[in-house]
Amino acid sequence: MTDFPYRYDVTHSVSEIVDAHTDLEAGTETDTVVTIAGRLMLRRDQGKLAFGTLQDSSGRIQLFAMAKSTPEFDGFTGLSIGDWIAVTGIVMMTRRGELSVRVDGWTVLGSAGRSFPDKWHGISDPDTRYRQRYVDLWVTDEARQTFTQRSQIVASMRRLLHDQDFVEVETPMLHPIPGGALARPFVTHHNALDADLYLRIAPELYLKRLVVGGMERVFEIGRVFRNEGMSTRHNPEFTMLELYWAYADHADMMRLTEELVAGIATEVLGTTTIEYDGREVDLSTPWRRATMEELIAEHAGVEVSLDTPIDELRAICETFGVDTKAHYGPGKLILELYEKTCEAELWGPVYVTDYPIEVSPLSREHRERPGYAERFEAIVAGRELCNGFSELTNPAIQRERFEAQEADRDAGDDEAMVVDEDYLRALEYGLPGTAGLGVGVDRLVMLLTGTTTIRDVVLFPTLKPEQVSGAADGELVDEEE
């Protein structure tokens, strides 16, 4: 086996060379000597001349090799597409106006033992793209651009929150009790403790413990895990931003959310007006606010509320093909009706407000509408982007909500919460009026990059094992929708 260098001194990136020589005239050789490194993505031989395309993480540039001056010219022309190489030479512009580096010296840094797919048109098979991302990133320009933008979006998010005095923290990913959201958890076992633990479905309850501890503005950007179906919008592990703000309420949080999203769009894209799935989305503030019941009336043409007799609500749901269960109360029925008839139709951005308390176990009761919560979700392009609310601070009421959730779990709802005694103890020490927010970072990246499937914004999405009969490897398994 060839012994490749452990390290190599590189003087320039491709983009630095391109930016410094934009005005170079055709047929000009400079006295600038550079050493660049990357993959050989194309090579063509023309007798005593050879041309190649070298690609690094910043871009592509042509290589110009001559038999009379390039060391081991025959070895250079024998390189495989995909080989890692370093090239030293002068910067020049060919007579045809192609910016190039003359190959005055070259070294193989690593060999490609497998052939690359079409180096100019990317990978047509989606399963190969997602399963072999290490190939996709080299041959698909859009993939590299998307993940570069993802990094910029997350960096902008952190910067804007730091500017408003939020402190970034890290909370456990292994939880003794699953909580903080309505979702089915992954379970594992800790041998030393001989105890089951759960991959977190949300960091919410730990972050609010920190507010109890005196950290008035906290946020966390991290992975959460939900043992649920996969679709164009769902991956079992995904990235969430959660933040908590003492002395604020849901109205303050709506203002912060729209300013945060608009600010990220402005920083990363230079505009708040974007195109998504062929339609325009205006993210400029303020965003529309509408109650769930107002939206049901607009889109389904029926008037409903918590005062509507439950038999009538069930009949309305049946009319619209909504699946219901016997233990659903009026709040759950209204939510199911809204999700069936409205959510996908909301291009937005729009804040859906006034959720029933029945489906909002961690939210504070609406100060003006008994039975409803001071909770909102932002819907953009027919998809939920975030969820936020005024936080429930009363430990006695929170215990009642947990116990109601536990009853739902006993009735067969495996996404319902359980009683978290330590969190209740924390509330007994006192939680001031606080607003909370959870943003799906992957969905925000999808929105701002114009991507319609979550697998295009997650570097290594969850996939079926390669050797599976039935559905094709690349097929999405949408168990939720």
Side-chain angles (χ1 to χ4, degrees):
M1 180 178 290
T2 303
D3 189 15
F4 301 118
Y6 280 76
R7 64 178 303 278
Y8 207 85
D9 289 320
V10 177
T11 64
H12 293 75
S13 68
V14 168
S15 63
E16 288 172 336
I17 296 170
V18 172
D19 291 344
H21 296 89
T22 55
D23 299 326
L24 198 60
E25 295 182 1
T28 301
E29 293 186 353
T30 72
D31 57 3
T32 301
V33 178
V34 298
T35 297
I36 56 176
R39 282 195 191 270
L40 183 67
M41 299 304 292
L42 181 68
R43 196 196 67 249
R44 66 184 189 278
D45 305 330
Q46 298 180 358
K48 295 185 178 183
L49 295 179
F51 299 89
T53 297
L54 182 138
Q55 178 177 313
D56 68 6
S57 61
S58 69
R60 294 186 177 120
I61 196 167
Q62 179 170 273
L63 304 177
F64 179 73
M66 298 184 293
K68 66 179 181 181
S69 62
T70 298
E72 299 184 47
F73 180 78
D74 290 341
F76 182 82
T77 59
L79 290 170
S80 298
I81 301 302
D83 282 350
W84 290 89
I85 63 172
V87 170
T88 298
I90 64 166
V91 179
M92 58 176 289
M93 187 74 77
T94 66
R95 285 179 292 180
R96 293 189 176 183
E98 185 75 26
L99 184 65
S100 306
V101 173
R102 192 176 71 193
V103 184
D104 297 329
W106 62 278
T107 301
V108 179
L109 304 179
S111 63
R114 290 176 179 261
S115 60
F116 272 66
D118 190 311
K119 47 272 176 196
W120 299 119
H121 300 99
I123 302 174
S124 58
D125 176 24
D127 183 60
T128 302
R129 289 195 62 202
Y130 305 135
R131 205 176 291 283
Q132 300 180 32
R133 187 69 83 184
Y134 39 85
V135 177
D136 178 44
L137 290 171
W138 279 109
V139 302
T140 309
D141 290 342
E142 294 81 2
R144 292 194 306 279
Q145 293 165 2
T146 294
F147 289 108
T148 297
Q149 284 190 312
R150 180 184 177 114
S151 175
Q152 294 168 346
I153 289 166
V154 174
S156 175
M157 180 182 293
R158 280 193 166 95
R159 184 165 49 251
L160 291 171
L161 289 173
H162 286 150
D163 288 346
Q164 298 202 43
D165 297 326
F166 281 87
V167 176
E168 185 170 10
V169 297
E170 294 176 317
T171 62
M173 288 194 179
L174 290 174
H175 290 186
I177 295 174
L182 301 175
R184 187 186 309 134
F186 288 94
V187 62
T188 186
H189 189 78
H190 191 286
N191 292 332
L193 295 176
D194 191 23
D196 285 344
L197 295 173
Y198 302 87
L199 291 177
R200 69 178 178 191
I201 56 177
E204 175 168 345
L205 301 186
Y206 281 91
L207 290 170
K208 286 192 283 192
R209 285 172 170 93
L210 297 180
V211 180
V212 171
M215 302 184 73
E216 297 174 356
R217 299 187 184 203
V218 294
F219 77 95
E220 182 171 9
I221 300 172
R223 290 291 209 190
V224 295
F225 308 86
R226 299 184 181 178
N227 196 356
E228 300 169 346
M230 297 184 292
S231 75
T232 56
R233 288 181 277 176
H234 301 91
N235 194 62
E237 58 173 313
F238 58 98
T239 303
M240 284 280 285
L241 160 69
E242 287 219 15
L243 66 88
Y244 292 86
W245 180 7
Y247 321 127
D249 65 8
H250 72 303
D252 297 312
M253 192 58 78
M254 282 190 277
R255 286 190 292 272
L256 174 65
T257 302
E258 62 194 11
E259 290 169 1
L260 179 64
V261 174
I264 293 171
T266 300
E267 280 196 5
V268 176
L269 305 177
T271 180
T272 56
T273 301
I274 63 174
E275 184 176 299
Y276 187 81
D277 203 17
R279 294 178 61 183
E280 185 178 282
V281 181
D282 183 2
L283 299 173
S284 61
T285 62
W287 295 356
R288 182 191 176 195
R289 286 126 168 96
T291 69
M292 182 178 291
E293 292 160 357
E294 289 171 342
L295 292 168
I296 291 173
E298 286 180 19
H299 292 271
V302 293
E303 301 281 346
V304 296
S305 74
L306 294 179
D307 295 326
T308 303
I310 194 163
D311 290 341
E312 185 178 336
L313 280 175
R314 291 188 186 281
I316 292 171
C317 286
E318 184 176 349
T319 299
F320 286 94
V322 177
D323 292 330
T324 65
K325 296 182 180 179
H327 67 277
Y328 285 3
K332 178 65 170 174
L333 293 171
I334 289 173
L335 174 64
E336 294 292 323
L337 180 63
Y338 154 76
E339 290 183 344
K340 181 73 172 184
T341 62
C342 301
E343 187 171 272
E345 304 302 318
L346 301 176
W347 198 249
V350 57
Y351 286 123
V352 183
T353 66
D354 294 16
Y355 276 65
I357 281 180
E358 180 185 345
V359 294
S360 310
L362 300 170
S363 305
R364 194 165 185 174
E365 185 171 16
H366 200 292
R367 68 196 78 179
E368 297 174 356
R369 301 189 70 196
Y372 296 85
E374 292 195 347
R375 175 185 169 191
F376 66 88
E377 286 189 1
I379 308 298
V380 187
R383 300 178 178 187
E384 175 196 343
L385 181 65
C386 68
N387 180 33
F389 38 83
S390 300
E391 300 294 334
L392 178 57
T393 61
N394 185 309
I397 296 175
Q398 184 64 79
R399 178 177 293 278
E400 292 173 0
R401 301 268 190 90
F402 278 154
E403 290 174 349
Q405 282 286 302
E406 203 157 59
D408 287 344
R409 176 175 284 271
D410 293 339
D413 185 352
D414 56 5
E415 294 186 352
M417 297 181 188
V418 296
V419 177
D420 187 332
E421 293 289 351
D422 181 70
Y423 178 67
L424 292 172
R425 179 171 57 189
L427 289 184
E428 289 170 357
Y429 280 94
L431 175 68
T434 298
L437 173 70
V439 178
V441 173
D442 308 290
R443 291 190 182 180
L444 178 60
V445 174
M446 288 172 64
L447 177 69
L448 297 183
T449 60
T451 304
T452 56
T453 173
I454 194 171
R455 292 185 175 185
D456 284 339
V457 300
V458 175
L459 278 167
F460 298 101
T462 304
L463 302 170
K464 285 186 175 183
E466 287 194 72
Q467 302 301 321
V468 174
S469 60
D473 287 342
E475 182 179 335
L476 291 175
V477 183
D478 193 341
E479 298 176 359
E480 295 187 1
E481 301 174 344

